[in-house]
Amino acid sequence: MPASSSFRLDQGVDHLVVGGGFAGCVLAERLASQLGRRVLIIDRRDHIGGNAYDCLDDAGILIHRYGPHIFHTNSAKVLDYLSQFTEWRPYEHRVLAEVDGQQVPIPINLTTLNKLYSLQMDSHAAAAFLAARATPMTEIRSSRDVVVSQVGEELYRKFFEGYTRKQWGRDAGELDRSVTSRVPTRTDTDDRYFQDRYQCMPQHGYTQMFERMIDHPNIAFLPSTAYADVRDVVPHDHLIYSGPVDEYFDFRYGKLPYRSLRFEHSTLDTPLLQQVAVVNYPSSDVLYTRITEYKHLTGQRHPRTSITREFPSDVGDPYYPIPAPENAALYRRYEELAEQTPGVTFTGRLGTYRYYNMDQVVAQSLTLFARLAQQTSVAA
Ligand code: FAD
Ligand code: UDP
């Protein structure tokens, strides 16, 4: 337990929070600082921060242990909230995709099209070029439809087919439209990955931000601790659970599918490898999906550089809920169970089986806090 916490666990806590990622830490911070609640956060990992955890590697380079985490949001409320715990470094994310032997911007934009097809189109011509290739559709149902209806079969195959098969272990035709809708198509030269109003990285990293968030006398954090270790040991009035919802219910209705990743980190004896932080490899001939080079994200100066290759996998930690109709139907059954379970609040990417970005999870926790605070004031 950190020295800063001022209570004894054997006397019990008001809230036991399972999971020290954004979902758990934001709620813990609010409950402790705004309502004076005693909160214990546990995580089975040996650190705070969940998937957003970053740390120095052996070479002293700041890396993200669970793949690149880029902060972007349109919500001033979310940004203001997090700004209590970190300063920010301006950063706009740019990604290249290796296609036909060259690296071109993704999202597909005017530059992408001109480079790939050795053309010199303007925006009007690019729009006509895409319209001539796009497959007209009356209904956009799947992630494949989203792309093919905008750019046609050929560009779909070059940029999306292989990447999506690798990332999700299934065809884009079997995924909700929401998945590839995350990646727009543009006919101008804007090559930013995101267009959100606020785009920045925590100046000293995510982990330091989390440490400041939970640095409160009413918050204790126990790393390397699973829910089963404390469930019957630490008395608690209320449970906040941000682990996988199906696991909480002992997989009563079967396993909710999650996609996992294997991260291969390495340090190279060169100051910089790539032009941008992330290069995507859509080809099915390459087993990984992307290479991230962290110095672009962090601005760190160092004579060497550290990178991560991501190899998608069916086995391993659950990273991605898989957005597909049959999974949503299974999740709804667990959601019903969750609603009938008094004293427990399910939240976060795993607890509510949602493909959420960090800012969406922060917003979800702030909303949940407002609801819990209101319930308290009504009960008082
Ligand atoms: P998590 O961060 O997963 O935290 C849940 C924690 O609960 C975990 O640490 C886990 O160990 C713990 N836990 C689970 N079960 C138990 C148990 N039984 N007992 C104890 N502990 C338990 N979002 C962005 O906005 N921008 C990005 O660029 C971005 N990139 C991403 C890249 C990758 C590879 C991945 C996987 C995600 C990315 N995300 C990104 C999404 C982001 O990681 C999530 O939105 C956010 O971290 C979710 O927070 P959370 O608290 O819900 O879950
Ligand atoms: N995608 C793709 N090719 C790319 C980039 C994205 O096929 O070059 C698809 C893929 O299915 C991916 C989805 O679009 O999972 C969403 O991409 P995003 O970059 O948002 O994925 P994340 O960063 O969440 O892994």
Side-chain angles (χ1 to χ4, degrees):
M1 191 194 317
S4 59
S5 67
S6 65
F7 55 94
R8 287 182 42 188
L9 292 180
D10 55 0
Q11 292 175 344
V13 295
D14 298 310
H15 305 272
L16 172 61
V17 174
V18 176
F22 273 102
C25 286
V26 171
L27 265 170
E29 187 282 327
R30 290 287 84 186
L31 289 163
S33 73
Q34 303 301 300
L35 299 181
R37 300 289 176 73
R38 287 164 311 151
V39 187
L40 170 65
I41 308 172
I42 58 156
D43 203 301
R44 53 184 162 207
R45 290 172 169 162
D46 63 1
H47 57 74
I48 197 77
N51 286 338
Y53 175 72
D54 53 17
C55 58
L56 294 180
D57 66 8
D58 290 344
I61 299 172
L62 188 65
I63 64 162
H64 297 182
R65 184 176 289 175
Y66 308 100
H69 278 70
I70 293 101
F71 184 75
H72 56 102
T73 190
N74 282 316
S75 166
K77 189 176 164 189
V78 166
L79 182 77
D80 288 348
Y81 172 74
L82 293 176
S83 300
Q84 298 175 79
F85 313 105
T86 188
E87 297 81 47
W88 299 97
R89 162 177 198 268
Y91 171 76
E92 287 186 325
H93 193 45
R94 290 183 167 76
V95 179
L96 296 173
E98 188 154 300
V99 170
D100 295 346
Q102 50 179 335
Q103 296 191 350
V104 293
I106 174 86
I108 293 172
N109 70 2
L110 180 59
T111 314
T112 313
L113 297 173
N114 280 336
K115 271 192 152 185
L116 268 188
Y117 294 100
S118 303
L119 295 169
Q120 289 183 322
M121 296 185 286
D122 60 12
S123 289
H124 278 301
F129 178 95
L130 290 178
R133 282 162 178 77
T135 309
M137 286 184 188
T138 46
E139 200 187 354
I140 309 293
R141 297 174 68 133
S142 71
S143 266
R144 185 179 193 285
D145 296 347
V146 170
V147 181
V148 171
S149 67
Q150 290 180 45
V151 302
E153 293 279 349
E154 183 176 286
L155 287 163
Y156 167 74
R157 275 198 299 277
K158 286 184 194 296
F159 287 88
F160 288 88
E161 187 178 55
Y163 190 106
T164 300
R165 264 186 209 278
K166 286 191 282 190
Q167 173 71 9
W168 299 98
R170 56 168 76 196
D171 193 84
E174 300 166 278
L175 286 169
D176 281 358
R177 48 185 285 180
S178 58
V179 176
T180 54
S181 297
R182 292 164 64 91
V183 185
T185 305
R186 303 191 185 123
T187 49
D188 59 16
T189 53
D190 186 352
D191 61 349
R192 294 171 307 157
Y193 205 70
F194 308 111
Q195 287 187 317
D196 299 55
R197 188 171 313 148
Y198 309 107
Q199 306 189 30
C200 44
M201 296 290 286
Q203 179 88 56
H204 305 290
Y206 288 97
T207 301
Q208 195 197 79
M209 180 178 76
F210 280 104
E211 281 166 354
R212 287 189 185 169
M213 212 183 274
I214 65 165
D215 181 15
H216 189 282
N218 281 4
I219 300 179
F221 172 56
L222 286 181
S224 308
T225 305
Y227 175 50
D229 301 337
V230 293
R231 183 172 42 201
D232 304 320
V233 180
V234 179
H236 50 280
D237 292 340
H238 176 226
L239 177 68
I240 293 167
Y241 189 87
S242 69
V245 60
D246 54 340
E247 184 182 323
Y248 179 89
F249 292 109
D250 292 326
F251 310 104
R252 190 178 306 177
Y253 300 134
K255 283 199 168 189
L256 275 170
Y258 292 93
R259 195 69 175 150
S260 191
L261 292 169
R262 180 171 65 80
F263 300 100
E264 192 184 277
H265 301 293
S266 45
T267 301
L268 310 176
D269 285 323
T270 176
L272 218 51
L273 176 74
Q274 303 180 161
Q275 285 177 56
V276 290
V278 172
V279 177
N280 286 355
Y281 290 82
S283 164
S284 43
D285 298 339
V286 180
L287 291 180
Y288 46 85
T289 48
R290 57 186 179 186
I291 299 182
T292 298
E293 183 172 34
Y294 294 101
K295 284 165 71 181
H296 293 279
L297 302 179
T298 59
Q300 187 177 358
R301 289 164 184 270
H302 196 285
R304 302 172 79 197
T305 192
S306 290
I307 61 168
T308 297
R309 288 186 170 80
E310 288 172 54
F311 295 83
S313 161
D314 261 344
V315 292
D317 279 359
Y319 289 119
Y320 288 87
I322 303 179
E326 71 280 13
N327 300 344
L330 180 55
Y331 169 65
R332 268 195 297 278
R333 298 186 68 198
Y334 280 111
E335 192 181 23
E336 271 170 31
L337 266 186
E339 280 161 6
Q340 292 157 18
T341 309
V344 188
T345 301
F346 293 85
T347 186
R349 184 142 142 154
L350 304 173
T352 57
Y353 201 68
R354 289 202 168 83
Y355 184 11
Y356 270 168
N357 293 327
M358 295 181 283
D359 65 319
Q360 294 171 300
V361 174
V362 174
Q364 184 188 38
S365 280
L366 294 177
T367 303
L368 257 178
F369 168 71
R371 214 173 71 204
L372 292 172
Q374 202 189 9
Q375 281 167 6
T376 309
S377 67
V378 170

